[in-house]
């Protein structure tokens, strides 16, 4: 793999915190995000504007986005499921919104209470309104490599959703291994098919580490030319509507490997670790990343 520039998109404040039973007080969330803004990270998904009954941990989304420092060069994004979520996100002045749906029907129903067919027009309307408001939009496809309810997911379903999202005007589609079932050969096979249709710069990889495969999956993705990866500091996270899902690949571990490969991320490992120690203290439990275990051993 040639040394190259890799973009890490930090999703800990959203994907991480949404699945934690502890409610991190709003000022602590803001302080953590502000600290991460000075690590060299260029993109953070800082919260989600979903229904607070569904995700109580992020019920303070408006306060968080309104309260954070805006460091130039950092994109502050938030997850939105529909027009109502977008309205709240715009009131807080996010830079970018992420819309999301699943490749598999049952996970889509459990996660957002809609069939896939019902979801397309909702996401199209939301994307259009966000673009009209001058925001960029990112799209997620969940359950790309497997569904907690249906098992195997066909790559045709992934293509269909990815094409639909790009046609709506999203600038990038993030491919979610929601429950962390992917392994390297599968990642290679799925990417071989997808990259025949979509350029690498329209796709990102979003691995959860449930089975310890996320780092190997990143390595295979790098070999296939992928340059954008979602991760969560300390390995926080999961998806509450996907039983068994655990944290995203840890940003600190990912950075360690990318640095070792000579790839450029612009992120300062020491500052990042300080931010991990900060949120660990707020969570009141050890964070699970290898880096955090090693640095405190
Ligand atoms: P619903 O109950 O079907 O909503 O939920 P509805 O449209 O029928 O509306 C019902 C009520 O909710 C209405 O209020 C709406 O105004 C209100 P009422 O008129 O009854 O007073 N409402 C809202 N309130 C605040 N914010 C909103 C909103 N929307 C409606 N945005 C809904 C549908 C999508 C809202 C719900 O199912 C939901 O919030 N789901 C979110 C679940 C979630 O956050 N899952 C985790 C994120 S996805 C993920 O983690 C995967 C990812 O990481 C990638 C991967 O790993 O694969 C992205
Ligand atoms: Mg996720």
């Amino acid at each position: 793999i040639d040394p190259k520039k890799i973009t890490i998109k930090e999703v800990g404040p959203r994907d991480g915190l949404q699945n934690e039973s502890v409610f991190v007080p709003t000022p602590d969330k803001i302080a953590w995000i502000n600290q991460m803004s000075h690590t060299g990270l260029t993109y953070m998904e800082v919260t989600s504007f979903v229904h607070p009954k569904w995700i109580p941990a992020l019920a303070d989304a408006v306060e968080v986005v309104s309260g954070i420092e805006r460091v130039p060069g950092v994109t502050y994004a938030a997850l939105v499921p529909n027009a109502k979520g977008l309205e709240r996100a715009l009131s807080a002045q996010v830079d970018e919104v992420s819309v999301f749906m699943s490749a598999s029907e049952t996970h889509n129903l459990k996660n957002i209470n809609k069939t896939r067919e019902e979801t397309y027009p909702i996401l199209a309307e939301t994307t259009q309104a966000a673009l009209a408001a001058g925001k960029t939009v990112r799209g997620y496809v969940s359950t790309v490599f497997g569904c907690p309810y249906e098992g195997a997911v066909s790559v045709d379903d992934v293509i269909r959703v990815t094409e639909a999202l790009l046609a709506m005007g999203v600038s990038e589609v993030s491919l979610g291994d929601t429950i962390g079932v992917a392994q390297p050969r599968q990642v290679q096979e799925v990417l071989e098919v997808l990259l025949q249709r979509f350029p690498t710069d329209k796709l990102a990889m979003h691995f959860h580490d449930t089975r310890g495969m996320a780092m190997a999956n990143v390595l295979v993705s790098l070999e296939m030319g992928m340059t954008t990866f979602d991760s969560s500091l300390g390995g926080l996270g999961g998806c509450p509507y996907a039983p068994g899902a655990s944290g995203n690949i840890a940003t600190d571990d990912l950075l360690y490997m990318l640095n070792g490969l000579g790839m450029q991320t612009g992120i300062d490992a020491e500052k990042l670790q300080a931010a991990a120690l900060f949120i660990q203290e707020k969570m009141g439990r050890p964070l699970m990343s290898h880096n955090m275990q090693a640095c405190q051993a």
Side-chain angles (χ1 to χ4, degrees):
I1 314 163
D2 290 336
K4 55 182 159 202
K5 213 170 160 285
I6 300 296
T7 303
I8 293 184
K9 297 199 167 178
E10 171 63 45
V11 297
R14 193 280 299 171
D15 208 347
L17 295 187
Q18 78 179 10
N19 203 34
E20 297 286 344
S21 47
V22 178
F23 182 86
V24 177
T26 311
D28 292 339
K29 285 176 179 145
I30 291 172
W32 180 43
I33 293 164
N34 288 347
Q35 195 174 355
M36 287 196 289
S37 285
H38 296 281
T39 58
L41 279 165
T42 54
Y43 187 103
M44 270 186 269
E45 197 173 77
V46 293
T47 189
S48 75
F49 293 91
V50 298
H51 198 295
K53 270 197 210 131
W54 287 60
I55 307 285
L58 303 180
D60 57 357
V62 170
E63 291 79 1
V64 168
V65 177
S66 310
I68 55 177
E69 180 194 348
R70 303 301 181 93
V71 172
V74 182
T75 300
Y76 298 91
L79 199 69
V80 299
N82 53 22
K84 171 87 185 173
L86 178 67
E87 193 186 301
R88 295 172 58 218
L90 291 178
S91 80
Q93 301 190 342
V94 293
D95 298 327
E96 173 165 307
V97 295
S98 314
V99 296
F100 60 105
M101 65 180 287
S102 312
S104 58
E105 183 74 358
T106 317
H107 183 263
N108 203 67
L109 272 168
K110 301 269 186 190
N111 196 37
I112 50 177
N113 205 25
K114 303 279 182 298
T115 66
R116 288 172 299 183
E117 282 311 313
E118 289 167 339
T119 305
Y120 289 123
I122 295 171
L123 299 195
E125 179 202 7
T126 307
T127 301
Q128 241 165 45
L131 293 172
K135 307 298 174 184
T136 49
V137 184
R138 186 176 204 231
Y140 280 105
V141 187
S142 286
T143 64
V144 167
F145 299 96
C147 172
Y149 307 101
E150 297 176 20
V153 171
S154 98
V155 72
D156 289 339
D157 283 335
V158 177
I159 290 171
R160 204 166 296 129
V161 177
T162 304
E163 268 173 354
L165 289 168
L166 289 170
M168 289 172 200
V170 308
S171 49
E172 172 181 285
V173 171
S174 183
L175 302 169
D177 183 17
T178 316
I179 53 169
V181 285
Q183 28 74 24
R185 174 173 289 182
Q186 184 190 12
V187 172
Q188 186 183 339
E189 287 170 356
V190 168
L191 277 179
E192 266 164 10
V193 176
L194 294 181
L195 292 175
Q196 284 170 14
R197 287 171 182 264
F198 312 109
T200 49
D201 67 356
K202 289 284 172 197
L203 299 178
M205 307 307 289
H206 180 103
F207 292 115
H208 286 262
D209 198 32
T210 319
R211 289 165 183 78
M213 293 291 110
M215 195 65 74
N217 292 336
V218 168
L219 192 54
V220 167
S221 307
L222 286 168
E223 281 167 351
M224 309 273 306
M226 301 303 298
T227 57
T228 302
F229 297 91
D230 300 350
S231 61
S232 173
L233 187 55
L236 282 166
C239 174
Y241 297 98
S246 70
N248 301 83
I249 185 170
T251 310
D252 35 340
D253 291 342
L254 177 59
L255 182 64
Y256 185 86
M257 181 175 77
L258 295 175
N259 283 342
L261 290 169
M263 296 185 170
Q264 287 156 26
T265 61
I267 301 168
D268 181 315
E270 276 178 35
K271 290 182 181 166
L272 192 71
Q273 181 152 306
L277 288 165
F278 176 87
I279 193 63
Q280 172 174 261
E281 196 207 311
K282 304 302 171 193
M283 302 311 298
R285 65 164 179 86
L287 295 188
M288 296 316 292
S289 73
H290 293 282
N291 167 64
M292 286 296 280
Q293 312 261 327
C295 85
Q296 296 169 102

